[in-house]
Amino acid sequence: MKKIINRPEDLVHEALQGMASAYPELLKVHFAPDFISRADGPVKGKVGVLSGGGSGHEPMHGGFVGRGMLDAAVPGPVFTSPTPDQIQAATQAVDGGAGVLHIIKNYTGDRLNFEMAADLARAEGIEVEAVVINDDVAVQDSLYTAGRRGTGVTVIAEKIAGAAADQRRPLAAVAELCRKVNAQGRSMGLALTSCTVPQAGKPTFELPEDEMEIGIGIHGEPGRSRAKLRSAAEITALLANAVLDDLPFQRGDSVLAFVNGLGSTPMIELYGVYNELVKLCAGRGITIVRNLIGPYMTSLEMAGCTITLVKMDDELISLWDAPVKTAALRWGV
Amino acid sequence: MKKIINRPEDLVHEALQGMASAYPELLKVHFAPDFISRADGPVKGKVGVLSGGGSGHEPMHGGFVGRGMLDAAVPGPVFTSPTPDQIQAATQAVDGGAGVLHIIKNYTGDRLNFEMAADLARAEGIEVEAVVINDDVAVQDSLYTAGRRGTGVTVIAEKIAGAAADQRRPLAAVAELCRKVNAQGRSMGLALTSCTVPQAGKPTFELPEDEMEIGIGIHGEPGRSRAKLRSAAEITALLANAVLDDLPFQRGDSVLAFVNGLGSTPMIELYGVYNELVKLCAGRGITIVRNLIGPYMTSLEMAGCTITLVKMDDELISLWDAPVKTAALRWGV
């Protein structure tokens, strides 16, 4: 295992300390229980938007804490759900009196712990709504999931819900928008290599030198199948067609296209995939009106990418374009 | 070789097409000769700021084209200098009548080709100043370089020179600031793995499973030495102390700290390195006043990181903070 770390068991804690030092104007890092909250929060009268999950997907979620996106991010150990007490503490910290939205990726551990935290927070008089993101079309059930997994749509949902909350929309409306993004978004990914969880010390899985795993999960969960490595054009078609056919997206649709790097796939390759995706969508009569390209939801140092498409309308576009100021996404301010 | 590409020889071209599709509001991509220019350029009366070099370091340099940073980026093939005609065409394209600054990383091929292009542009009546970045303290001469290599300071110099040009400072002043950033900046890097140049098809070098290359170049050029893999704290000290001792930085200095990922080193590890760097700098009486953390100057999918420190004063801080709107760096607008 080749990593720039101290003791594996200290990695998440030390990374959080690094974030605390790096971004004091954006965020506060709390320890025991661990969570990251917006530096200027809680914002009175604003819905708090909170997400979280296992670490190892950086910059998701901590890199999305700040104005116009998340009020809090709750990191678990690498690829492991945060605990209910962490989530509860973060929920309390970001409640500005207008309630808190939990955005949860659909993994069994996350769902259980977020549900328990929501119950605890409600018992304290905090209104909580939960939206479960389950956009990954690859497989129905998976290693850690009943139903579909939550992947790339999470990033888009966090941005759009965050913008709606920033406009002081009420909790029910913010949650409804978040559900809409999830309902209108689909994703699929593919890996060329495994990642290595630091505390495991060895790759999660092995792939022969000429094979790829189609439909990979962001924790290395098995996908649909293994196949011989193919060209960028074929890989893009494999992922994008599965995504497009699932919703299904239709001729005339406007979409946000998110080409995400899983860790070690260079930007030059992601730009190449985006180039293929533009041609493919055009060929199917679908217009890409917004895009996001880069390693925003990673799986440590896994090589591979995910493609997410979200059907957009004027309201969603306007919320996507709204000001955001976080470590990883920043525009308009 | 596991990459998401079509034919290796088409990768740069296709990635440029992807960028053209993704960022029409920020940049224009020109082909034959290839270069990227700011969408709303040339800006009349503003110094044009131009950089370039081999591809494979994305988002550097194309990701830095836009308001407040570069007016043009000239990409060569992977790890290969762009040609004089490319650089000349880009220089012409961004000349708004106030001259053009070339920011050149110190590699022999880049220097020769930029010099030739500058001569050609001058012959056409365009004023050109050139600043060579040579911040890498690792080795004096290297595989492709006489003198020190240009690395992380390039990103900082592009931002600061771009901000100065955006304020309509004259060419000589913009060049002088760029030289100052170079003079006050130092970098060193380290690799845990090699990258694979697509057209070569195999890793540039081999490193045993328990070794790292200290002082690596961003094309995989050999560094100072190989050593057994060490902890994040020790790795940070190795790099940061070499950087600090070289200028030397002194007690009381304010610095910008740039912790750069070379490709496949995850953000969680870079945050950990930053955490160590904060402690180390504090121990030496040096204050980090600004930071940049992430894969901004990569070496394809190499695992490793570089640490850059630049001594800052109020003027440099204000130029760093000035609005920037590019694909990879964006704030204030």
Side-chain angles (χ1 to χ4, degrees):
Chain A
M1 175 175 65
K2 291 192 122 173
K3 290 181 185 289
I4 306 177
I5 59 173
N6 297 315
R7 297 190 315 163
E9 57 270 36
D10 296 332
L11 176 60
V12 171
H13 184 80
E14 291 173 351
L16 287 173
Q17 287 182 311
M19 290 192 77
S21 300
Y23 308 115
E25 80 286 6
L26 294 174
L27 53 84
K28 273 182 293 202
V29 179
H30 309 254
F31 293 101
D34 295 358
F35 66 95
I36 300 172
S37 70
R38 185 172 153 173
D40 57 352
V43 182
K44 206 170 148 62
K46 190 186 87 67
V47 169
V49 181
L50 181 156
S51 190
S55 294
H57 306 299
E58 291 71 23
M60 183 175 83
H61 301 272
F64 302 138
V65 172
R67 182 186 159 198
M69 208 159 168
L70 295 182
D71 292 273
V74 190
V78 171
F79 294 175
T80 303
S81 175
T83 58
D85 70 301
Q86 284 179 265
I87 304 166
Q88 181 198 6
T91 303
Q92 284 180 309
V94 302
D95 178 40
V100 178
L101 175 67
H102 287 178
I103 302 179
I104 307 155
K105 300 192 299 301
N106 189 32
Y107 299 98
T108 304
D110 287 325
R111 289 194 64 165
L112 285 172
N113 291 350
F114 269 91
E115 271 170 35
M116 204 176 299
D119 287 342
L120 292 167
R122 287 187 193 111
E124 288 160 353
I126 301 173
E127 203 184 351
V128 177
E129 281 234 38
V131 175
V132 175
I133 305 293
N134 60 349
D135 57 312
D136 187 341
V137 307
V139 290
Q140 186 52 35
D141 298 304
S142 183
L143 203 52
Y144 310 119
T145 324
R148 288 180 161 184
R149 301 174 300 215
T151 59
V153 164
T154 314
V155 178
I156 315 306
E158 290 176 4
K159 171 66 182 78
I160 286 172
D166 201 37
Q167 294 178 355
R168 303 298 188 273
R169 300 197 194 184
L171 179 58
V174 176
E176 191 48 39
L177 267 168
C178 193
R179 285 189 194 100
K180 178 175 163 179
V181 171
N182 184 53
Q184 296 187 176
R186 296 289 188 275
S187 302
M188 193 156 114
L190 169 149
L192 306 188
T193 66
S194 176
C195 57
T196 295
V197 175
Q199 291 198 263
K202 59 183 203 310
T204 305
F205 58 91
E206 295 290 347
L207 262 176
E209 185 50 37
D210 60 344
E211 288 189 14
M212 56 187 182
E213 174 89 27
I214 302 165
I216 192 78
I218 57 171
H219 313 95
E221 308 95 305
R224 288 184 178 182
S225 60
R226 290 188 173 186
K228 295 289 178 197
L229 187 58
R230 302 201 209 162
S231 71
E234 291 167 308
I235 283 173
T236 305
L238 257 174
L239 299 182
N241 285 327
V243 164
L244 286 163
D245 293 342
D246 189 88
L247 189 61
F249 291 82
Q250 294 179 321
R251 190 164 288 276
D253 280 351
S254 293
V255 301
L256 181 152
F258 173 25
V259 174
N260 174 63
L262 282 171
S264 64
T265 288
M267 285 300 292
I268 196 170
E269 296 178 31
L270 299 181
Y271 289 138
V273 168
Y274 186 73
N275 183 49
E276 298 297 338
L277 184 61
V278 167
K279 292 188 283 185
L280 185 145
C281 285
R284 294 185 60 157
I286 288 158
T287 307
I288 300 176
V289 292
R290 292 294 183 275
N291 64 72
L292 183 66
I293 307 169
Y296 291 100
M297 173 195 64
T298 60
S299 183
L300 295 167
E301 69 287 346
M302 186 182 282
C305 69
T306 67
I307 290 179
T308 295
L309 297 174
V310 180
K311 189 174 161 181
M312 301 292 276
D313 55 29
D314 289 347
E315 181 185 35
L316 294 183
I317 291 173
S318 145
L319 290 164
W320 176 257
D321 290 344
V324 60
K325 187 173 180 180
T326 69
L329 280 188
R330 193 183 300 209
W331 56 73
V333 276
Chain B
M1 174 174 65
K2 291 194 122 171
K3 290 181 187 289
I4 306 177
I5 59 174
N6 296 316
R7 297 190 316 161
E9 55 271 37
D10 296 331
L11 176 60
V12 171
H13 185 79
E14 292 173 351
L16 288 172
Q17 287 182 311
M19 289 192 77
S21 300
Y23 308 115
E25 80 286 7
L26 294 175
L27 51 86
K28 274 182 291 203
V29 179
H30 309 255
F31 293 103
D34 295 357
F35 65 95
I36 301 171
S37 70
R38 187 172 151 172
D40 57 351
V43 183
K44 205 170 147 64
K46 190 186 88 68
V47 169
V49 181
L50 181 157
S51 190
S55 294
H57 306 300
E58 290 71 24
M60 184 175 83
H61 301 272
F64 302 137
V65 172
R67 180 183 161 200
M69 208 158 167
L70 295 182
D71 292 273
V74 191
V78 171
F79 295 175
T80 303
S81 176
T83 58
D85 71 302
Q86 283 179 265
I87 304 165
Q88 182 198 5
T91 303
Q92 284 181 311
V94 302
D95 178 39
V100 178
L101 175 67
H102 287 179
I103 302 179
I104 307 155
K105 300 191 301 301
N106 189 34
Y107 299 98
T108 305
D110 287 324
R111 290 194 64 166
L112 285 171
N113 291 352
F114 269 91
E115 270 170 34
M116 207 175 299
D119 288 343
L120 292 166
R122 287 187 192 109
E124 288 160 352
I126 301 173
E127 202 184 352
V128 177
E129 281 234 37
V131 175
V132 175
I133 306 292
N134 60 350
D135 56 310
D136 187 342
V137 306
V139 289
Q140 185 53 36
D141 298 305
S142 183
L143 202 54
Y144 310 118
T145 324
R148 286 179 163 185
R149 301 174 300 217
T151 58
V153 163
T154 314
V155 178
I156 314 306
E158 290 176 4
K159 171 66 182 78
I160 286 172
D166 201 37
Q167 294 177 353
R168 303 298 189 273
R169 299 195 195 186
L171 179 58
V174 176
E176 190 50 39
L177 266 169
C178 194
R179 284 189 194 100
K180 178 176 162 178
V181 171
N182 184 53
Q184 297 187 175
R186 296 290 189 276
S187 300
M188 193 155 113
L190 168 148
L192 306 188
T193 65
S194 177
C195 56
T196 295
V197 174
Q199 290 198 263
K202 58 182 205 308
T204 306
F205 59 90
E206 295 290 346
L207 261 176
E209 186 48 39
D210 60 344
E211 287 189 13
M212 57 187 183
E213 175 89 28
I214 302 165
I216 192 78
I218 58 171
H219 312 95
E221 310 96 303
R224 288 184 177 181
S225 60
R226 289 186 174 188
K228 295 290 178 198
L229 186 59
R230 302 200 209 162
S231 72
E234 290 167 310
I235 283 173
T236 305
L238 257 173
L239 299 181
N241 285 327
V243 164
L244 286 164
D245 294 342
D246 189 88
L247 189 63
F249 291 82
Q250 294 179 321
R251 190 164 287 273
D253 279 351
S254 292
V255 301
L256 181 152
F258 173 24
V259 174
N260 173 63
L262 283 170
S264 64
T265 288
M267 285 300 292
I268 196 171
E269 296 180 29
L270 299 181
Y271 289 138
V273 168
Y274 186 74
N275 183 48
E276 298 297 339
L277 184 61
V278 167
K279 292 188 283 185
L280 185 146
C281 284
R284 292 184 61 157
I286 287 158
T287 307
I288 300 176
V289 292
R290 292 294 182 274
N291 65 72
L292 183 67
I293 306 169
Y296 291 100
M297 173 195 65
T298 60
S299 183
L300 294 167
E301 71 287 343
M302 186 183 283
C305 70
T306 66
I307 290 178
T308 295
L309 297 174
V310 179
K311 189 175 162 177
M312 302 291 275
D313 55 29
D314 289 347
E315 180 185 37
L316 295 182
I317 291 172
S318 145
L319 291 163
W320 176 257
D321 289 344
V324 61
K325 188 174 179 179
T326 70
L329 279 188
R330 193 184 297 211
W331 56 73
V333 274

